[in-house]
Amino acid sequence: MRITYVLYWVSSVTASQPTHAITILVLGHSERIPISPDKYEEIRTAHRFVMFGLSVEEKLDLLLQNFLALEECLVGMALENSVFTGDIENHLTGATLRVNRHVANLLTSARLYLDQLLHEVSAVYGYESEEFRKVKELTHNQYDSVFGYRVMEALRNHVQHRALPVHGMKFPMTRLTDTPESKLGFAVVPFAIVSKFEDDKEFKKSVLDELQNETDKKGDVTLMPYARSYVECIAKIHIGLRDTLSEDLAAADTLFDHLHRQAELAFGRCSPALAAVSINENGTYGGRVMLSDQPIQRRRSLEKRNKYMDSISRHVVSTDK
């Protein structure tokens, strides 16, 4: 489905008694640009795409912010341990609960993104559309091909129905080389005890079998590699979504830009209160579609901010050269 907007005014009503118009919704402004009902519907469709584009970018940003908070929590713990090395017992006290809070936030925002993504695509394009099929296929491909995605989806269900996913914390300290002058490396490693998932009958059996093959000698698995892989997978889904939406978003952006230029010519200015309105017989406004370009600018800002996010699992943060 591709939306093409015709960039000229067509009005089947007289200028003195329009049923739809462009105006500025501020006190004392009475000027209007008459438009046809069809043009009004085009504008409503464009507005729906503009708001959809912003909505999915904001949900992705929420997920990334929660991922950042989790990573910041771990880095902060490692730094504390590197400075106060004799205080490990206090570092361990409450550490698991702190990390569980951040992991739960990440899992919740990921589920919010994935569920609402499909809902919004279906609302805009329909369940039977090619666009909906493509986006659903993107999610299925990541689930089928990436173990970390499957693990985190299983953990999300476990968190919702049974228990928290992080069972303990490790604070390993390693000498980075074999020389006396070697630097020491400090890390924080959240882990799960895989056997604790066996009592959860809703935990997907195939994923549990895979996890059991990844355990160390104690039966533990380190969780952060899966979390990073999961976020990377969602980023790849989002990049595919952007490609699917690109033409329709560009058309909607172009129509909004055209409407702003028309308003500047007609009213001598544009305003965040610019709107397309339907007009009742008594002259009051019925429906209205706000035409501010702020949602477009916000979406573009988020697109730029979250542009390079599909390689997160390969990023290493350090204060060293």
Side-chain angles (χ1 to χ4, degrees):
M1 174 180 176
R2 291 287 175 247
I3 309 298
T4 302
Y5 300 106
V6 181
L7 301 182
Y8 56 84
W9 302 108
V10 179
S11 179
S12 59
V13 295
T14 65
S16 58
Q17 294 181 325
T19 59
H20 298 81
I22 304 296
T23 189
I24 297 176
L25 296 177
V26 296
L27 190 64
H29 184 93
S30 59
E31 294 178 279
R32 299 169 179 169
I33 303 171
I35 59 174
S36 69
D38 287 345
K39 176 58 66 176
Y40 180 77
E41 289 304 314
E42 285 183 11
I43 293 170
R44 287 186 61 192
T45 299
H47 181 265
R48 188 161 64 246
F49 275 105
V50 166
M51 300 312 297
F52 173 42
L54 174 60
S55 174
V56 292
E57 292 296 338
E58 288 182 331
K59 291 183 180 73
L60 177 73
D61 195 69
L62 173 65
L63 185 153
L64 294 176
Q65 290 282 1
N66 281 329
F67 174 69
L68 176 63
L70 170 60
E71 292 281 18
E72 285 179 336
C73 176
L74 297 177
V75 170
M77 287 181 180
L79 180 59
E80 286 180 17
N81 191 34
S82 73
V83 175
F84 306 111
T85 54
D87 201 26
I88 187 64
E89 291 301 322
N90 283 334
H91 297 158
L92 288 169
T93 302
T96 301
L97 185 59
R98 285 172 61 190
V99 174
N100 264 315
R101 173 165 58 87
H102 289 295
V103 172
N105 287 342
L106 174 63
L107 292 171
T108 300
S109 58
R111 176 46 51 190
L112 179 149
Y113 173 87
L114 292 167
D115 282 353
Q116 294 192 17
L117 170 64
L118 291 174
H119 173 75
E120 289 187 277
V121 171
S122 68
V124 172
Y125 290 106
Y127 280 108
E128 303 299 324
S129 66
E130 179 67 11
E131 289 79 8
F132 183 80
R133 185 195 66 77
K134 285 181 178 179
V135 174
K136 195 168 185 178
E137 186 176 304
L138 287 169
T139 62
H140 288 173
N141 287 344
Q142 291 302 315
Y143 185 93
D144 292 339
S145 61
V146 182
F147 180 46
Y149 190 103
R150 296 194 293 277
V151 169
M152 297 303 286
E153 285 284 282
L155 289 181
R156 204 281 310 176
N157 292 333
H158 182 75
V159 168
Q160 181 178 1
H161 300 293
R162 294 298 294 266
L164 295 171
V166 181
H167 302 141
M169 305 288 295
K170 299 175 184 177
F171 288 78
M173 181 177 64
T174 57
R175 194 172 292 279
L176 300 182
T177 64
D178 292 331
T179 64
E181 298 80 16
S182 172
K183 295 180 179 181
L184 295 177
F186 294 82
V188 176
V189 181
F191 66 88
I193 302 170
V194 174
S195 61
K196 289 192 174 185
F197 300 135
E198 294 173 359
D199 292 334
D200 182 357
K201 302 305 181 184
E202 299 299 320
F203 202 100
K204 195 165 186 179
K205 180 66 166 56
S206 60
V207 177
L208 182 59
D209 291 342
E210 289 180 288
L211 266 179
Q212 288 169 334
N213 292 329
E214 298 293 321
T215 61
D216 60 19
K217 293 180 180 180
K218 295 182 178 180
D220 304 338
V221 290
T222 301
L223 293 177
M224 283 309 295
Y226 302 135
R228 294 174 185 128
S229 177
Y230 188 46
V231 172
E232 191 172 278
C233 288
I234 293 176
K236 290 176 180 178
I237 291 170
H238 193 80
I239 290 171
L241 172 71
R242 284 176 178 167
D243 182 63
T244 300
L245 295 178
S246 60
E247 290 186 25
D248 290 329
L249 283 179
D253 291 353
T254 298
L255 178 59
F256 266 52
D257 181 65
H258 177 71
L259 295 172
H260 296 159
R261 287 187 278 110
Q262 289 288 331
E264 288 174 355
L265 289 173
F267 308 140
R269 65 189 177 106
C270 195
S271 166
L274 187 71
V277 297
S278 62
I279 306 170
N280 300 322
E281 291 183 358
N282 61 4
T284 60
Y285 295 149
R288 63 190 66 189
V289 180
M290 301 308 298
L291 301 176
S292 169
D293 68 348
Q294 291 178 359
I296 295 174
Q297 298 307 319
R298 171 65 175 159
R299 187 197 81 229
R300 290 172 177 171
S301 175
L302 290 173
E303 287 173 345
K304 182 179 180 180
R305 165 188 169 96
N306 301 323
K307 187 175 183 179
Y308 303 107
M309 57 193 177
D310 58 338
S311 59
I312 286 174
S313 65
R314 301 196 299 275
H315 295 179
V316 177
V317 177
S318 173
T319 59
D320 227 344
K321 291 184 178 180

